[in-house]
Amino acid sequence: MSATDTSGPPAYPFGPVVRLDLHPRYLELCRNEPVARVRLPYGGDAWLVTGYHEIKQFLADTRFSSFAATAPDTARVTPLPLRPGNLLSMDPPDHGRIRKVVAHAFRPRIVSQLADRMRDLVTSELDAMEAAGPPGDLVQRLAIPLPVRMIVELFGVPYEDRAQFRKFSDVFVATSAHTKEEIDEARDGLEAFLRRLIKQRRDSRSDDLISVLIEALDDGRLSEVEAVRTGIGILMAGHETSLSMISNVSFLLLAQRELYERLCADPSLLDPAIEEMLRVIPLRSVGSFPRRASEDVEIGGVRVSKGDTVIFQRAAGDRDERVFEDPDTIRFDREHNPHLGFGHGQHYCLGASLARAELKVALEGITSRFPTLRLAVPPEEVPWKPGLIARAPEALPVTW
């Protein structure tokens, strides 16, 4: 059946991704049909969940299996399903077992220690940008180096090896930008990289994530496949999503420059502003990784049959009028903001505290250092990365 065939569910995605715009169809569905049937580009039909309460119910219900969604026939928005062995593709009890192992690396003490190094790095990068003179590029100067440096430190990857995993990362998270053969090759490359790193670090362990994985591998709590693929999942999520979010937040503030001016004038707004931007920015260009129902389940009054695939669009739920007053308006003084930016349930983001810290340090740096910062081109001329799971500017030219 062709994508233009109107006899079945509507084709998804609903249209091209445009900057940080959320396609209006999402909000129509959230309001009128929060659990709706759609046709995905790979694997056939699925349920798309857009309502806030329905998304929370879906994420908390263990009858929706992430592991089952690794099957090749799963409806999905990516050319290939996730491979088994990744935290994102696990169900209880395996998910809880492995999450307990890796949570050690995200302890508050570790994140607090990283915060000082974040500030030093932001200062040095902004020093270099200022010295070079305008225009500068906030993607190259801030959005990439900060999360990449932090994840390699947290993980224990030698900083000089960062290019080895960076060359695979955009391919790994592609929807339409690369072929399934290229994505498979990137996955193989990352697995080989992690296996080499584990081998190299067996006799030189420290208080980092690779050492935690090696210890769990040696005492039988993890298999080699679990150690490698869990490591890849954290390595990817730990820098790709953060660099995309730093880029997106910077773009949003400078495209609506009155928001940037408010933060410069009142730094006390920074924490609630970050939560509001986490709510309103649709980080994913398309819906979530899929899960499949292990039995018949009802969500929001809709019967989802055993074997059905379900995806959700978090950004639609975070603009649900039933939960958020005036949801389309960016309000830094929003008091009630239970957004789903880091998920919900067993797969709640392990690195949420690290991501928040990176955003805060980055924004503190640019607002205090460059109160006159502005885009060097009109917002519509900022180039964006095409065909990836996470949306983000390719470059963010600024002047001051």
Side-chain angles (χ1 to χ4, degrees), residues 115 118-119 122 142 146 246 249 263 267-275 277-278 352-368:
M118 289 181 205
R119 294 185 188 95
V122 168
L142 197 61
L146 177 58
I246 292 169
V249 166
L263 285 186
S268 71
L269 290 174
L270 195 52
D271 285 330
I274 287 172
E275 298 307 309
M277 288 183 285
L278 286 168
S353 59
L354 178 63
R356 282 188 170 103
E358 288 173 348
L359 273 171
K360 185 170 184 178
V361 170
L363 291 178
E364 283 176 338
I366 59 174
T367 54
S368 62

Side-chain angles (χ1 to χ4, degrees), residues 44 176 178 186 270 287 303 331 390 399:
S176 59
H178 295 276
L270 195 52
R303 180 178 176 271
R331 288 171 39 182
T399 188

Side-chain angles (χ1 to χ4, degrees), residues 200-218:
Q200 293 165 4
R201 290 290 308 281
R202 277 196 181 278
D203 298 323
S204 58
R205 304 182 195 182
S206 62
D207 194 22
D208 53 32
L209 184 56
I210 197 67
S211 299
V212 170
L213 292 174
I214 291 170
E215 181 180 345
L217 181 58
D218 287 350

Side-chain angles (χ1 to χ4, degrees), residues 67 70-71 81-87 89-90 191 225-226 229-230:
F67 176 74
T70 63
L82 283 173
R83 289 177 173 177
N86 187 312
L87 264 177
S89 61
M90 287 183 177
E191 290 191 14
V225 167
E226 288 171 341
R229 292 183 179 171
T230 295

